[in-house]
């Protein structure tokens, strides 16, 4: 079945909160043969879980995974979760190669790269599914002493990252900020140096809203130039230490590093500050375009909804609906059942994530329940 309905609205208040049958030779083995009990909540005290979950991928959700891991392992001391925040592209490849039980990715599996077929082949007896689990608004962050409340239109952002605007007192930036005193400081535009789902979402935004001549992709286009930094931590550090720097990074990393965030114009031309409510208004309009328990989303980056902040990414946990070895499938199912639970969704308050809308999280829970 193909879902085309719009996600129901969800009220986001306070700080942003957060709300990836077995065959025997599929890699990424979970250690231990103790029977695994079902766990709908890390706080349920279920004691039968034992083994190791190996996972990799999105650095955007690293803070989320750290919090979930802490809570889940406190309640299930026999389980070890190893998550490598190697980037979305690397995580998907590790999943396809069978070295991890689930991948975190800021983009769903891509048809044009043959990823769904490759992931299905890894699963052998079932399909690979995209399970949205983390909503991470993407902040445009900058380091420009003396300039607060910077406003940037999508076209200006695109020209900056395409190396067409190279000074902070460029006329285009002045037009977006008529009352600001802008210095002639050189712009240092940083992008992710490795394949990244954050880059994929950011370039999707640019391709839909700006004069961006390149195809959206996890890999940054070499023609756009700029400077590379590895991972979300690397981007945050580069901006924090570089006067004149600008980049794009998940809100959780921007807040943790104390970075300045620009207001971004949406499809109606309204400059919008990144807040819980503004991020939620864009997510509310997302459509589910996957089939069955594959919950791939389509986001409208050119939304004209009043007060909607337009740059939002969703991190998926990608795993096998069926086809993981039995010890892996039980552990992955238990962990993802927790992350999609009310407790898991609320565990990350103040870490810079937004919760899944109620109708979407209900579908995620149904999909997780089908893992075997």
């Amino acid at each position: 079945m193909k879902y085309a309905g719009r996600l129901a609205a969800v009220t986001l208040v306070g700080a942003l909160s957060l709300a990836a049958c077995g065959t025997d030779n599929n890699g990424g083995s979970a250690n231990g043969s103790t029977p695994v009990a079902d766990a709908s909540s890390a706080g349920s005290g279920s004691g039968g879980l034992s083994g190791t979950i190996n996972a990799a991928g999105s650095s955007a959700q690293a803070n989320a995974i750290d919090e979930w891991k802490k809570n889940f392992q406190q309640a299930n001391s026999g389980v070890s979760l190893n998550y490598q925040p190697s980037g979305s592209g690397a995580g998907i490849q590790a999943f396809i190669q069978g070295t991890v039980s689930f991948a975190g990715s800021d983009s769903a599996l891509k048809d044009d790269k043959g990823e769904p077929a490759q992931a299905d082949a890894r699963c052998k007896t079932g399909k690979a599914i995209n399970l949205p689990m983390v909503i991470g608004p993407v902040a445009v962050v900058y380091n420009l002493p003396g300039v607060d409340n910077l406003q940037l239109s999508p076209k200006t952002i695109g020209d900056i990252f395409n190396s067409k605007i190279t000074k902070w007192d460029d006329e285009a930036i002045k037009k977006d900020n008529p009352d600001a005193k802008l210095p002639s400081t050189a712009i240092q535009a940083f992008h992710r140096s490795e394949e990244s789902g954050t880059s994929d979402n950011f370039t999707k935004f640019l391709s839909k809203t700006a004069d961006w001549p390149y195809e959206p992709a996890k890999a940054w286009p070499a023609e756009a130039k700029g400077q590379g930094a590895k991972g979300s931590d690397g981007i945050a550090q580069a901006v924090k230490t570089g006067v004149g720097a600008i980049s794009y990074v998940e809100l959780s990393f921007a807040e943790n590093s104390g970075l300045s965030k620009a207001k971004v114009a949406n499809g109606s031309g309204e400059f919008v500050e990144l807040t819980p409510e503004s991020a939620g208004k864009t997510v509310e309009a997302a459509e589910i375009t996957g089939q069955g328990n594959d919950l791939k989303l389509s986001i409208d980056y050119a939304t004209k909804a009043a007060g909607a902040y337009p740059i939002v990414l969703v991190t998926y946990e990608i795993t096998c609906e069926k086809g993981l070895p039995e010890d892996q499938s039980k552990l992955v199912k238990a962990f993802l059942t927790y992350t999609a639970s009310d407790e898991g969704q609320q565990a990350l308050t103040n870490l810079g994530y937004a919760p899944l809308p109620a109708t979407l999280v209900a579908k995620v829970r149904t999909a997780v329940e089908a893992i075997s």
Side-chain angles (χ1 to χ4, degrees), residues 20-366:
C21 209
T23 54
D24 294 324
N25 299 299
N26 222 354
S29 176
N31 299 324
S33 57
T34 304
V36 182
D38 182 47
S40 60
S41 166
S44 64
S46 53
L49 292 168
S50 178
T52 298
I53 307 171
N54 292 319
S58 165
S59 64
Q61 70 166 357
N63 294 334
I65 290 288
D66 285 346
E67 184 72 10
W68 283 333
K69 174 181 176 178
K70 179 185 72 175
N71 296 342
F72 189 75
Q73 290 184 166
Q74 282 178 350
N76 301 280
S77 59
V79 177
S80 177
L81 172 63
N82 300 320
Y83 183 79
Q84 178 64 38
S86 52
S88 299
I92 288 174
Q93 287 307 306
F95 177 74
I96 287 171
Q97 293 164 8
T99 60
V100 297
S101 298
F102 71 87
S105 177
D106 303 325
S107 301
L109 294 169
K110 289 184 171 295
D111 293 321
D112 60 356
K113 296 182 68 173
E115 291 174 345
Q118 295 174 60
D120 289 349
R122 178 263 159 94
C123 294
K124 296 184 178 179
T125 61
K127 294 283 188 180
I129 51 177
N130 300 284
L131 300 175
M133 202 67 70
V134 180
I135 295 174
V138 178
V140 175
V141 293
Y142 66 97
N143 182 342
L144 201 59
V147 178
D148 299 320
N149 301 313
L150 185 71
Q151 301 183 153
L152 295 173
S153 67
K155 184 180 186 307
T156 302
I157 295 171
D159 286 347
I160 288 173
F161 283 92
N162 198 21
S163 301
K164 290 184 176 180
I165 295 176
T166 59
K167 299 285 187 179
W168 277 106
D169 61 351
D170 187 275
E171 289 302 318
I173 303 178
K174 287 182 178 179
K175 183 178 178 181
D176 289 344
N177 300 271
D179 298 324
K181 294 182 179 180
L182 297 166
S184 60
T185 306
I187 293 174
Q188 300 183 67
F190 285 91
H191 58 264
R192 289 282 288 274
S193 60
E194 81 282 20
E195 287 200 358
S196 160
T198 310
S199 293
D200 189 40
N201 281 271
F202 185 64
T203 55
K204 283 179 181 175
F205 162 73
L206 293 178
S207 70
K208 297 291 186 181
T209 62
D211 296 329
W212 188 251
Y214 315 110
E215 287 295 319
K218 294 185 179 78
W220 188 257
E223 299 87 348
K225 302 179 182 179
Q227 302 179 57
K230 184 174 176 58
S232 300
D233 279 326
I235 288 290
Q237 182 64 20
V239 174
K240 189 171 186 177
T241 58
V243 174
I246 186 171
S247 191
Y248 54 93
V249 73
E250 303 77 18
L251 180 61
S252 59
F253 288 87
E255 291 190 333
N256 288 348
S257 297
L259 301 177
S260 297
K261 303 178 291 291
K263 294 180 180 179
V264 177
N266 62 22
S268 68
E270 176 189 7
F271 288 103
V272 180
E273 181 181 358
L274 177 48
T275 67
E277 292 81 7
S278 64
K281 288 177 180 178
T282 297
V283 176
E284 287 165 12
E287 292 182 86
I288 299 175
T289 58
Q291 296 182 344
N293 286 324
D294 178 25
L295 301 178
K296 178 179 179 180
L297 298 176
S298 176
I299 295 173
D300 181 10
Y301 296 100
T303 179
K304 294 183 179 180
Y309 180 86
I311 319 176
V312 178
L313 67 78
V314 173
T315 300
Y316 299 86
E317 315 308 341
I318 298 170
T319 192
C320 299
E321 184 174 27
K322 298 182 185 298
L324 289 177
E326 185 177 3
D327 54 352
Q328 291 180 55
S329 68
K330 287 182 177 179
L331 289 176
V332 169
K333 182 175 182 176
F335 180 67
L336 297 184
T337 297
Y338 163 61
T339 64
S341 70
D342 288 340
E343 181 181 344
Q345 292 288 296
Q346 294 302 318
L348 302 180
T349 301
N350 298 325
L351 287 184
Y353 299 97
L356 298 174
T359 53
L360 177 58
V361 77
K363 290 181 172 67
V364 171
R365 291 169 183 169
T366 297

